[in-house]
Short mmCIF file of all heavy atoms in Angstrom, two decimals:
data_model
loop_
_atom_site.label_atom_id
_atom_site.label_comp_id
_atom_site.label_asym_id
_atom_site.label_seq_id
_atom_site.Cartn_x
_atom_site.Cartn_y
_atom_site.Cartn_z
N ILE A 51 -12.92 -114.57 -127.28
CA ILE A 51 -13.63 -113.78 -128.27
C ILE A 51 -13.44 -114.45 -129.62
O ILE A 51 -12.34 -114.80 -129.99
CB ILE A 51 -13.10 -112.33 -128.30
CG1 ILE A 51 -13.35 -111.67 -126.95
CG2 ILE A 51 -13.74 -111.55 -129.43
CD1 ILE A 51 -12.79 -110.28 -126.85
N TYR A 52 -14.55 -114.57 -130.33
CA TYR A 52 -14.54 -115.23 -131.61
C TYR A 52 -14.65 -114.21 -132.74
O TYR A 52 -15.30 -113.19 -132.58
CB TYR A 52 -15.71 -116.21 -131.70
CG TYR A 52 -15.63 -117.29 -130.66
CD1 TYR A 52 -16.35 -117.19 -129.48
CD2 TYR A 52 -14.80 -118.37 -130.84
CE1 TYR A 52 -16.25 -118.17 -128.50
CE2 TYR A 52 -14.69 -119.36 -129.87
CZ TYR A 52 -15.43 -119.26 -128.71
OH TYR A 52 -15.33 -120.23 -127.76
N PRO A 53 -14.06 -114.49 -133.89
CA PRO A 53 -14.19 -113.57 -135.03
C PRO A 53 -15.65 -113.44 -135.44
O PRO A 53 -16.42 -114.39 -135.35
CB PRO A 53 -13.39 -114.26 -136.14
CG PRO A 53 -12.53 -115.26 -135.46
CD PRO A 53 -13.22 -115.64 -134.18
N ALA A 54 -16.02 -112.25 -135.89
CA ALA A 54 -17.40 -112.01 -136.30
C ALA A 54 -17.85 -112.96 -137.38
O ALA A 54 -19.02 -113.31 -137.47
CB ALA A 54 -17.56 -110.56 -136.74
N SER A 55 -16.93 -113.43 -138.21
CA SER A 55 -17.30 -114.35 -139.29
C SER A 55 -17.79 -115.68 -138.76
O SER A 55 -18.45 -116.42 -139.47
CB SER A 55 -16.10 -114.57 -140.22
OG SER A 55 -15.04 -115.17 -139.52
N GLN A 56 -17.48 -116.02 -137.51
CA GLN A 56 -17.91 -117.28 -136.92
C GLN A 56 -19.13 -117.11 -136.02
O GLN A 56 -19.54 -118.05 -135.36
CB GLN A 56 -16.78 -117.91 -136.12
CG GLN A 56 -15.62 -118.34 -136.97
CD GLN A 56 -14.52 -118.98 -136.14
OE1 GLN A 56 -14.64 -119.13 -134.94
NE2 GLN A 56 -13.45 -119.35 -136.79
N MET A 57 -19.69 -115.94 -135.99
CA MET A 57 -20.81 -115.66 -135.10
C MET A 57 -22.09 -115.49 -135.91
O MET A 57 -22.09 -114.98 -137.01
CB MET A 57 -20.57 -114.39 -134.29
CG MET A 57 -19.30 -114.40 -133.47
SD MET A 57 -19.38 -115.40 -132.00
CE MET A 57 -20.40 -114.38 -130.97
N ILE A 58 -23.18 -115.94 -135.35
CA ILE A 58 -24.51 -115.69 -135.91
C ILE A 58 -25.21 -114.80 -134.91
O ILE A 58 -25.30 -115.13 -133.74
CB ILE A 58 -25.30 -116.99 -136.09
CG1 ILE A 58 -24.58 -117.96 -137.02
CG2 ILE A 58 -26.71 -116.70 -136.58
CD1 ILE A 58 -25.19 -119.34 -137.04
N TRP A 59 -25.69 -113.66 -135.35
CA TRP A 59 -26.37 -112.73 -134.44
C TRP A 59 -27.86 -112.83 -134.63
O TRP A 59 -28.36 -112.77 -135.73
CB TRP A 59 -25.90 -111.30 -134.69
CG TRP A 59 -24.47 -111.15 -134.31
CD1 TRP A 59 -23.39 -111.19 -135.15
CD2 TRP A 59 -23.94 -110.99 -133.00
NE1 TRP A 59 -22.24 -111.05 -134.44
CE2 TRP A 59 -22.54 -110.94 -133.12
CE3 TRP A 59 -24.51 -110.89 -131.75
CZ2 TRP A 59 -21.71 -110.77 -132.02
CZ3 TRP A 59 -23.68 -110.73 -130.66
CH2 TRP A 59 -22.30 -110.67 -130.80
N VAL A 60 -28.56 -113.02 -133.53
CA VAL A 60 -30.00 -113.14 -133.56
C VAL A 60 -30.57 -112.03 -132.68
O VAL A 60 -30.11 -111.84 -131.56
CB VAL A 60 -30.44 -114.51 -133.00
CG1 VAL A 60 -31.95 -114.63 -132.99
CG2 VAL A 60 -29.81 -115.64 -133.79
N GLU A 61 -31.53 -111.29 -133.19
CA GLU A 61 -32.13 -110.21 -132.43
C GLU A 61 -33.63 -110.43 -132.29
O GLU A 61 -34.26 -110.94 -133.18
CB GLU A 61 -31.92 -108.86 -133.12
CG GLU A 61 -30.50 -108.41 -133.18
CD GLU A 61 -30.37 -107.02 -133.79
OE1 GLU A 61 -31.41 -106.35 -133.92
OE2 GLU A 61 -29.26 -106.66 -134.12
N GLU A 62 -34.15 -110.06 -131.15
CA GLU A 62 -35.59 -110.09 -130.95
C GLU A 62 -35.99 -108.80 -130.27
O GLU A 62 -35.45 -108.45 -129.22
CB GLU A 62 -35.99 -111.28 -130.08
CG GLU A 62 -37.48 -111.34 -129.85
CD GLU A 62 -37.90 -112.54 -129.04
OE1 GLU A 62 -37.08 -113.44 -128.83
OE2 GLU A 62 -39.05 -112.54 -128.60
N ARG A 63 -36.92 -108.07 -130.84
CA ARG A 63 -37.36 -106.80 -130.27
C ARG A 63 -38.61 -107.05 -129.43
O ARG A 63 -39.54 -107.72 -129.86
CB ARG A 63 -37.68 -105.80 -131.37
CG ARG A 63 -36.46 -105.40 -132.15
CD ARG A 63 -36.84 -104.42 -133.25
NE ARG A 63 -35.72 -104.21 -134.12
CZ ARG A 63 -34.86 -103.21 -134.00
NH1 ARG A 63 -35.00 -102.33 -133.04
NH2 ARG A 63 -33.87 -103.07 -134.84
N MET A 64 -38.61 -106.52 -128.22
CA MET A 64 -39.75 -106.64 -127.33
C MET A 64 -40.01 -105.26 -126.73
O MET A 64 -39.35 -104.86 -125.78
CB MET A 64 -39.48 -107.67 -126.24
CG MET A 64 -39.22 -109.05 -126.79
SD MET A 64 -38.94 -110.27 -125.52
CE MET A 64 -40.57 -110.42 -124.84
N GLY A 65 -40.97 -104.54 -127.30
CA GLY A 65 -41.24 -103.19 -126.83
C GLY A 65 -40.03 -102.31 -127.04
O GLY A 65 -39.47 -102.27 -128.13
N ASP A 66 -39.59 -101.61 -125.99
CA ASP A 66 -38.43 -100.75 -126.09
C ASP A 66 -37.13 -101.50 -125.81
O ASP A 66 -36.05 -100.94 -125.94
CB ASP A 66 -38.55 -99.58 -125.10
CG ASP A 66 -39.64 -98.61 -125.52
OD1 ASP A 66 -39.93 -98.55 -126.73
OD2 ASP A 66 -40.19 -97.95 -124.65
N MET A 67 -37.24 -102.76 -125.38
CA MET A 67 -36.05 -103.55 -125.07
C MET A 67 -35.68 -104.40 -126.27
O MET A 67 -36.53 -104.87 -127.01
CB MET A 67 -36.28 -104.44 -123.87
CG MET A 67 -36.39 -103.74 -122.58
SD MET A 67 -36.43 -104.98 -121.29
CE MET A 67 -36.42 -103.96 -119.88
N LYS A 68 -34.39 -104.63 -126.41
CA LYS A 68 -33.89 -105.49 -127.47
C LYS A 68 -32.99 -106.53 -126.82
O LYS A 68 -32.18 -106.22 -125.96
CB LYS A 68 -33.09 -104.66 -128.47
CG LYS A 68 -32.63 -105.45 -129.68
CD LYS A 68 -31.56 -104.75 -130.47
CE LYS A 68 -32.06 -103.67 -131.35
NZ LYS A 68 -31.01 -103.14 -132.24
N TYR A 69 -33.17 -107.77 -127.23
CA TYR A 69 -32.33 -108.86 -126.76
C TYR A 69 -31.45 -109.31 -127.92
O TYR A 69 -31.89 -109.36 -129.06
CB TYR A 69 -33.17 -110.03 -126.26
CG TYR A 69 -33.94 -109.68 -125.02
CD1 TYR A 69 -35.19 -109.08 -125.11
CD2 TYR A 69 -33.41 -109.92 -123.77
CE1 TYR A 69 -35.89 -108.73 -123.97
CE2 TYR A 69 -34.11 -109.58 -122.63
CZ TYR A 69 -35.35 -108.99 -122.73
OH TYR A 69 -36.04 -108.65 -121.61
N VAL A 70 -30.21 -109.63 -127.63
CA VAL A 70 -29.29 -110.07 -128.66
C VAL A 70 -28.59 -111.34 -128.18
O VAL A 70 -28.32 -111.48 -126.98
CB VAL A 70 -28.28 -108.96 -129.04
CG1 VAL A 70 -27.40 -108.60 -127.88
CG2 VAL A 70 -27.47 -109.32 -130.25
N ALA A 71 -28.35 -112.25 -129.12
CA ALA A 71 -27.64 -113.49 -128.80
C ALA A 71 -26.49 -113.67 -129.77
O ALA A 71 -26.66 -113.49 -130.97
CB ALA A 71 -28.59 -114.68 -128.90
N GLY A 72 -25.33 -114.00 -129.23
CA GLY A 72 -24.20 -114.37 -130.06
C GLY A 72 -24.08 -115.88 -130.01
O GLY A 72 -24.08 -116.47 -128.94
N VAL A 73 -24.03 -116.52 -131.17
CA VAL A 73 -23.98 -117.98 -131.26
C VAL A 73 -22.73 -118.38 -132.02
O VAL A 73 -22.48 -117.90 -133.13
CB VAL A 73 -25.23 -118.53 -131.98
CG1 VAL A 73 -25.17 -120.05 -132.07
CG2 VAL A 73 -26.51 -118.08 -131.28
N ASP A 74 -21.94 -119.26 -131.43
CA ASP A 74 -20.75 -119.80 -132.10
C ASP A 74 -20.93 -121.30 -132.24
O ASP A 74 -20.95 -122.03 -131.25
CB ASP A 74 -19.49 -119.48 -131.29
CG ASP A 74 -18.25 -120.11 -131.90
OD1 ASP A 74 -18.19 -120.21 -133.14
OD2 ASP A 74 -17.34 -120.49 -131.15
N ILE A 75 -21.07 -121.76 -133.47
CA ILE A 75 -21.19 -123.19 -133.74
C ILE A 75 -19.82 -123.69 -134.15
O ILE A 75 -19.33 -123.38 -135.24
CB ILE A 75 -22.23 -123.46 -134.85
CG1 ILE A 75 -23.59 -122.91 -134.43
CG2 ILE A 75 -22.30 -124.95 -135.15
CD1 ILE A 75 -24.63 -122.94 -135.53
N GLY A 76 -19.20 -124.43 -133.27
CA GLY A 76 -17.87 -124.98 -133.53
C GLY A 76 -17.96 -126.43 -133.96
O GLY A 76 -19.02 -127.01 -134.08
N ASN A 77 -16.80 -127.03 -134.18
CA ASN A 77 -16.76 -128.44 -134.59
C ASN A 77 -17.28 -129.36 -133.50
O ASN A 77 -17.96 -130.35 -133.79
CB ASN A 77 -15.34 -128.85 -134.97
CG ASN A 77 -14.90 -128.19 -136.25
OD1 ASN A 77 -15.67 -128.03 -137.17
ND2 ASN A 77 -13.64 -127.78 -136.31
N ALA A 78 -17.00 -129.06 -132.24
CA ALA A 78 -17.39 -129.94 -131.14
C ALA A 78 -18.44 -129.32 -130.22
O ALA A 78 -19.27 -130.03 -129.66
CB ALA A 78 -16.16 -130.32 -130.31
N THR A 79 -18.41 -127.99 -130.03
CA THR A 79 -19.34 -127.35 -129.11
C THR A 79 -20.04 -126.16 -129.76
O THR A 79 -19.52 -125.55 -130.69
CB THR A 79 -18.64 -126.86 -127.83
OG1 THR A 79 -17.65 -125.89 -128.18
CG2 THR A 79 -18.01 -128.00 -127.06
N THR A 80 -21.22 -125.86 -129.24
CA THR A 80 -21.99 -124.68 -129.62
C THR A 80 -22.09 -123.81 -128.39
O THR A 80 -22.47 -124.29 -127.31
CB THR A 80 -23.38 -125.07 -130.14
OG1 THR A 80 -23.22 -125.85 -131.33
CG2 THR A 80 -24.23 -123.85 -130.45
N GLU A 81 -21.76 -122.52 -128.53
CA GLU A 81 -21.76 -121.60 -127.40
C GLU A 81 -22.68 -120.43 -127.70
O GLU A 81 -22.76 -119.97 -128.83
CB GLU A 81 -20.34 -121.11 -127.13
CG GLU A 81 -19.39 -122.26 -126.83
CD GLU A 81 -17.93 -121.85 -126.78
OE1 GLU A 81 -17.66 -120.67 -126.52
OE2 GLU A 81 -17.09 -122.71 -127.03
N VAL A 82 -23.39 -119.99 -126.65
CA VAL A 82 -24.35 -118.90 -126.78
C VAL A 82 -24.11 -117.89 -125.67
O VAL A 82 -23.85 -118.27 -124.53
CB VAL A 82 -25.79 -119.44 -126.68
CG1 VAL A 82 -26.80 -118.30 -126.62
CG2 VAL A 82 -26.11 -120.36 -127.83
N ALA A 83 -24.20 -116.60 -126.00
CA ALA A 83 -24.17 -115.53 -125.00
C ALA A 83 -25.39 -114.66 -125.24
O ALA A 83 -25.69 -114.29 -126.37
CB ALA A 83 -22.90 -114.70 -125.12
N LEU A 84 -26.14 -114.35 -124.17
CA LEU A 84 -27.35 -113.55 -124.26
C LEU A 84 -27.16 -112.23 -123.54
O LEU A 84 -26.57 -112.18 -122.46
CB LEU A 84 -28.52 -114.29 -123.61
CG LEU A 84 -28.86 -115.66 -124.17
CD1 LEU A 84 -29.93 -116.32 -123.32
CD2 LEU A 84 -29.32 -115.54 -125.60
N ALA A 85 -27.70 -111.15 -124.12
CA ALA A 85 -27.61 -109.83 -123.51
C ALA A 85 -28.90 -109.06 -123.80
O ALA A 85 -29.63 -109.36 -124.73
CB ALA A 85 -26.41 -109.06 -124.03
N LYS A 86 -29.15 -108.05 -122.96
CA LYS A 86 -30.30 -107.17 -123.13
C LYS A 86 -29.77 -105.78 -123.44
O LYS A 86 -28.85 -105.29 -122.79
CB LYS A 86 -31.12 -107.14 -121.84
CG LYS A 86 -32.28 -106.17 -121.87
CD LYS A 86 -33.11 -106.24 -120.60
CE LYS A 86 -32.36 -105.64 -119.45
NZ LYS A 86 -33.17 -105.50 -118.23
N ILE A 87 -30.34 -105.13 -124.46
CA ILE A 87 -29.98 -103.77 -124.81
C ILE A 87 -31.18 -102.89 -124.47
O ILE A 87 -32.30 -103.13 -124.94
CB ILE A 87 -29.65 -103.64 -126.31
CG1 ILE A 87 -28.49 -104.56 -126.67
CG2 ILE A 87 -29.34 -102.19 -126.66
CD1 ILE A 87 -28.22 -104.67 -128.15
N ASP A 88 -30.96 -101.90 -123.63
CA ASP A 88 -32.00 -100.95 -123.24
C ASP A 88 -31.44 -99.55 -123.44
O ASP A 88 -30.64 -99.09 -122.62
CB ASP A 88 -32.41 -101.20 -121.79
CG ASP A 88 -33.64 -100.41 -121.38
OD1 ASP A 88 -34.25 -99.77 -122.26
OD2 ASP A 88 -34.00 -100.45 -120.19
N GLY A 89 -31.80 -98.93 -124.54
CA GLY A 89 -31.21 -97.64 -124.88
C GLY A 89 -29.75 -97.83 -125.23
O GLY A 89 -29.42 -98.56 -126.15
N THR A 90 -28.86 -97.21 -124.44
CA THR A 90 -27.43 -97.38 -124.67
C THR A 90 -26.80 -98.35 -123.67
O THR A 90 -25.60 -98.54 -123.68
CB THR A 90 -26.70 -96.02 -124.58
OG1 THR A 90 -26.91 -95.46 -123.28
CG2 THR A 90 -27.19 -95.07 -125.66
N ASP A 91 -27.64 -98.96 -122.82
CA ASP A 91 -27.14 -99.91 -121.82
C ASP A 91 -27.17 -101.33 -122.34
O ASP A 91 -28.15 -101.76 -122.93
CB ASP A 91 -27.97 -99.83 -120.53
CG ASP A 91 -27.87 -98.49 -119.84
OD1 ASP A 91 -26.80 -97.86 -119.95
OD2 ASP A 91 -28.85 -98.09 -119.21
N LEU A 92 -26.08 -102.06 -122.13
CA LEU A 92 -25.98 -103.46 -122.50
C LEU A 92 -25.78 -104.26 -121.22
O LEU A 92 -24.85 -104.00 -120.46
CB LEU A 92 -24.80 -103.68 -123.46
CG LEU A 92 -24.54 -105.12 -123.88
CD1 LEU A 92 -25.67 -105.63 -124.77
CD2 LEU A 92 -23.22 -105.22 -124.62
N THR A 93 -26.66 -105.23 -120.98
CA THR A 93 -26.57 -106.05 -119.78
C THR A 93 -26.42 -107.51 -120.17
O THR A 93 -27.29 -108.07 -120.85
CB THR A 93 -27.84 -105.88 -118.92
OG1 THR A 93 -28.03 -104.50 -118.63
CG2 THR A 93 -27.73 -106.66 -117.62
N PHE A 94 -25.32 -108.13 -119.73
CA PHE A 94 -25.11 -109.56 -119.96
C PHE A 94 -26.13 -110.33 -119.13
O PHE A 94 -26.34 -110.05 -117.96
CB PHE A 94 -23.68 -109.95 -119.55
CG PHE A 94 -23.45 -111.43 -119.56
CD1 PHE A 94 -23.23 -112.09 -120.75
CD2 PHE A 94 -23.49 -112.16 -118.39
CE1 PHE A 94 -23.02 -113.46 -120.77
CE2 PHE A 94 -23.28 -113.53 -118.40
CZ PHE A 94 -23.05 -114.18 -119.59
N LEU A 95 -26.79 -111.31 -119.74
CA LEU A 95 -27.80 -112.09 -119.04
C LEU A 95 -27.35 -113.51 -118.73
O LEU A 95 -27.51 -113.98 -117.61
CB LEU A 95 -29.10 -112.14 -119.87
CG LEU A 95 -29.78 -110.81 -120.14
CD1 LEU A 95 -30.96 -111.00 -121.08
CD2 LEU A 95 -30.21 -110.16 -118.83
N ALA A 96 -26.81 -114.20 -119.72
CA ALA A 96 -26.45 -115.61 -119.51
C ALA A 96 -25.59 -116.11 -120.66
O ALA A 96 -25.53 -115.49 -121.72
CB ALA A 96 -27.71 -116.46 -119.42
N SER A 97 -24.96 -117.24 -120.42
CA SER A 97 -24.23 -117.92 -121.48
C SER A 97 -24.37 -119.42 -121.27
O SER A 97 -24.71 -119.88 -120.18
CB SER A 97 -22.75 -117.52 -121.49
OG SER A 97 -22.11 -117.96 -120.31
N GLY A 98 -24.14 -120.17 -122.32
CA GLY A 98 -24.24 -121.61 -122.23
C GLY A 98 -23.39 -122.28 -123.28
O GLY A 98 -22.97 -121.66 -124.27
N ILE A 99 -23.16 -123.57 -123.06
CA ILE A 99 -22.36 -124.35 -123.99
C ILE A 99 -22.95 -125.76 -124.05
O ILE A 99 -23.45 -126.29 -123.06
CB ILE A 99 -20.88 -124.39 -123.55
CG1 ILE A 99 -20.01 -125.07 -124.59
CG2 ILE A 99 -20.71 -125.03 -122.18
CD1 ILE A 99 -18.51 -124.94 -124.34
N GLY A 100 -22.92 -126.33 -125.24
CA GLY A 100 -23.41 -127.69 -125.43
C GLY A 100 -22.74 -128.30 -126.64
O GLY A 100 -22.02 -127.63 -127.39
N PRO A 101 -22.99 -129.57 -126.87
CA PRO A 101 -22.37 -130.23 -128.02
C PRO A 101 -22.97 -129.75 -129.34
O PRO A 101 -24.16 -129.44 -129.40
CB PRO A 101 -22.69 -131.71 -127.80
CG PRO A 101 -23.90 -131.72 -126.94
CD PRO A 101 -23.82 -130.49 -126.08
N THR A 102 -22.15 -129.65 -130.36
CA THR A 102 -22.64 -129.33 -131.69
C THR A 102 -23.37 -130.55 -132.24
O THR A 102 -22.87 -131.67 -132.14
CB THR A 102 -21.46 -128.95 -132.62
OG1 THR A 102 -20.88 -127.74 -132.12
CG2 THR A 102 -21.92 -128.72 -134.05
N THR A 103 -24.57 -130.31 -132.78
CA THR A 103 -25.35 -131.41 -133.33
C THR A 103 -25.18 -131.42 -134.85
O THR A 103 -25.21 -130.37 -135.49
CB THR A 103 -26.83 -131.26 -132.98
OG1 THR A 103 -27.29 -129.96 -133.35
CG2 THR A 103 -27.07 -131.46 -131.48
N GLY A 104 -24.99 -132.58 -135.40
CA GLY A 104 -24.83 -132.70 -136.84
C GLY A 104 -23.48 -132.20 -137.32
O GLY A 104 -22.57 -131.92 -136.54
N ILE A 105 -23.36 -132.06 -138.60
CA ILE A 105 -22.14 -131.57 -139.23
C ILE A 105 -22.18 -130.05 -139.20
O ILE A 105 -23.19 -129.44 -139.55
CB ILE A 105 -22.02 -132.09 -140.68
CG1 ILE A 105 -21.94 -133.63 -140.67
CG2 ILE A 105 -20.81 -131.49 -141.38
CD1 ILE A 105 -22.04 -134.26 -142.04
N LYS A 106 -21.08 -129.43 -138.80
CA LYS A 106 -21.00 -127.98 -138.69
C LYS A 106 -21.43 -127.33 -140.01
O LYS A 106 -21.00 -127.73 -141.08
CB LYS A 106 -19.58 -127.57 -138.33
CG LYS A 106 -19.38 -126.08 -138.16
CD LYS A 106 -17.96 -125.77 -137.77
CE LYS A 106 -17.72 -124.28 -137.72
NZ LYS A 106 -16.36 -123.96 -137.33
N GLY A 107 -22.29 -126.30 -139.87
CA GLY A 107 -22.73 -125.55 -141.04
C GLY A 107 -23.97 -126.11 -141.71
O GLY A 107 -24.33 -125.68 -142.80
N THR A 108 -24.66 -127.06 -141.07
CA THR A 108 -25.87 -127.65 -141.64
C THR A 108 -27.07 -127.31 -140.77
O THR A 108 -26.94 -126.86 -139.64
CB THR A 108 -25.74 -129.18 -141.75
OG1 THR A 108 -25.68 -129.74 -140.44
CG2 THR A 108 -24.51 -129.58 -142.55
N LEU A 109 -28.25 -127.58 -141.31
CA LEU A 109 -29.48 -127.33 -140.56
C LEU A 109 -29.59 -128.19 -139.31
O LEU A 109 -30.33 -127.87 -138.39
CB LEU A 109 -30.71 -127.54 -141.46
CG LEU A 109 -30.91 -126.51 -142.57
CD1 LEU A 109 -32.10 -126.91 -143.45
CD2 LEU A 109 -31.13 -125.13 -141.98
N GLN A 110 -28.84 -129.27 -139.26
CA GLN A 110 -28.85 -130.14 -138.08
C GLN A 110 -28.34 -129.40 -136.84
O GLN A 110 -28.64 -129.80 -135.72
CB GLN A 110 -28.00 -131.39 -138.32
CG GLN A 110 -28.56 -132.29 -139.41
CD GLN A 110 -27.56 -133.38 -139.77
OE1 GLN A 110 -26.36 -133.21 -139.63
NE2 GLN A 110 -28.07 -134.49 -140.26
N ASN A 111 -27.60 -128.32 -137.04
CA ASN A 111 -27.06 -127.54 -135.92
C ASN A 111 -28.14 -126.82 -135.14
O ASN A 111 -27.94 -126.48 -133.97
CB ASN A 111 -26.04 -126.51 -136.40
CG ASN A 111 -24.86 -127.11 -137.11
OD1 ASN A 111 -24.36 -126.52 -138.05
ND2 ASN A 111 -24.39 -128.28 -136.71
N ILE A 112 -29.30 -126.60 -135.75
CA ILE A 112 -30.35 -125.81 -135.10
C ILE A 112 -30.81 -126.44 -133.79
O ILE A 112 -31.01 -125.73 -132.80
CB ILE A 112 -31.53 -125.59 -136.07
CG1 ILE A 112 -31.07 -124.73 -137.25
CG2 ILE A 112 -32.72 -124.95 -135.36
CD1 ILE A 112 -32.08 -124.61 -138.37
N SER A 113 -30.97 -127.74 -133.75
CA SER A 113 -31.43 -128.38 -132.50
C SER A 113 -30.43 -128.18 -131.38
O SER A 113 -30.81 -127.97 -130.22
CB SER A 113 -31.73 -129.86 -132.72
OG SER A 113 -30.55 -130.57 -133.05
N GLY A 114 -29.14 -128.19 -131.69
CA GLY A 114 -28.12 -127.94 -130.67
C GLY A 114 -28.16 -126.50 -130.17
O GLY A 114 -27.99 -126.24 -128.98
N VAL A 115 -28.42 -125.56 -131.08
CA VAL A 115 -28.52 -124.15 -130.69
C VAL A 115 -29.71 -123.97 -129.75
O VAL A 115 -29.60 -123.33 -128.70
CB VAL A 115 -28.64 -123.24 -131.93
CG1 VAL A 115 -28.96 -121.81 -131.53
CG2 VAL A 115 -27.36 -123.29 -132.75
N PHE A 116 -30.87 -124.52 -130.09
CA PHE A 116 -32.04 -124.40 -129.24
C PHE A 116 -31.81 -125.04 -127.88
O PHE A 116 -32.25 -124.53 -126.85
CB PHE A 116 -33.28 -125.00 -129.90
CG PHE A 116 -33.91 -124.08 -130.91
CD1 PHE A 116 -33.96 -124.45 -132.24
CD2 PHE A 116 -34.43 -122.86 -130.53
CE1 PHE A 116 -34.53 -123.60 -133.18
CE2 PHE A 116 -34.99 -121.99 -131.47
CZ PHE A 116 -35.06 -122.38 -132.79
N HIS A 117 -31.10 -126.17 -127.85
CA HIS A 117 -30.79 -126.83 -126.57
C HIS A 117 -29.97 -125.90 -125.68
O HIS A 117 -30.24 -125.78 -124.49
CB HIS A 117 -30.04 -128.14 -126.83
CG HIS A 117 -29.60 -128.82 -125.58
ND1 HIS A 117 -30.47 -129.50 -124.77
CD2 HIS A 117 -28.38 -128.89 -124.99
CE1 HIS A 117 -29.81 -129.98 -123.73
NE2 HIS A 117 -28.53 -129.63 -123.85
N VAL A 118 -28.97 -125.24 -126.25
CA VAL A 118 -28.13 -124.33 -125.46
C VAL A 118 -28.95 -123.13 -124.99
O VAL A 118 -28.81 -122.69 -123.85
CB VAL A 118 -26.87 -123.90 -126.25
CG1 VAL A 118 -26.05 -122.89 -125.46
CG2 VAL A 118 -26.02 -125.11 -126.60
N PHE A 119 -29.83 -122.59 -125.84
CA PHE A 119 -30.71 -121.49 -125.44
C PHE A 119 -31.56 -121.88 -124.24
O PHE A 119 -31.73 -121.12 -123.29
CB PHE A 119 -31.62 -121.04 -126.58
CG PHE A 119 -31.01 -119.99 -127.47
CD1 PHE A 119 -30.82 -120.25 -128.81
CD2 PHE A 119 -30.65 -118.76 -126.97
CE1 PHE A 119 -30.28 -119.30 -129.65
CE2 PHE A 119 -30.10 -117.79 -127.79
CZ PHE A 119 -29.91 -118.06 -129.13
N LYS A 120 -32.13 -123.08 -124.27
CA LYS A 120 -32.95 -123.56 -123.15
C LYS A 120 -32.14 -123.64 -121.87
O LYS A 120 -32.63 -123.34 -120.79
CB LYS A 120 -33.57 -124.92 -123.48
CG LYS A 120 -34.68 -124.85 -124.49
CD LYS A 120 -35.23 -126.24 -124.75
CE LYS A 120 -36.23 -126.23 -125.85
NZ LYS A 120 -36.75 -127.56 -126.13
N GLU A 121 -30.88 -124.05 -121.98
CA GLU A 121 -30.02 -124.15 -120.80
C GLU A 121 -29.74 -122.78 -120.20
O GLU A 121 -29.53 -122.63 -119.02
CB GLU A 121 -28.71 -124.84 -121.16
CG GLU A 121 -28.87 -126.25 -121.66
CD GLU A 121 -28.39 -127.27 -120.66
OE1 GLU A 121 -27.50 -126.94 -119.86
OE2 GLU A 121 -28.93 -128.39 -120.68
N CYS A 122 -29.72 -121.75 -121.05
CA CYS A 122 -29.43 -120.38 -120.60
C CYS A 122 -30.61 -119.77 -119.86
O CYS A 122 -30.42 -118.87 -119.04
CB CYS A 122 -29.11 -119.47 -121.78
SG CYS A 122 -27.51 -119.78 -122.53
N SER A 123 -31.81 -120.21 -120.15
CA SER A 123 -32.99 -119.56 -119.57
C SER A 123 -33.43 -120.19 -118.28
O SER A 123 -32.95 -121.12 -117.79
CB SER A 123 -34.14 -119.56 -120.55
OG SER A 123 -34.46 -120.86 -120.96
#
């Protein structure tokens, strides 16, 4: 479990369902966990890990995050 300060939360609403992703961009790896929220139910869907791209905390990290998301789906 990572501190909330190191997590980026991304939400996408689709009808009555909500999907949430927790993203941890570390010095060496980027990790993603995906879940579905339906009412009060939370269902874990997938997780993935890949190398961090660029210097941590820069826009270069975005390509690494998208790569990990693709691996999860």
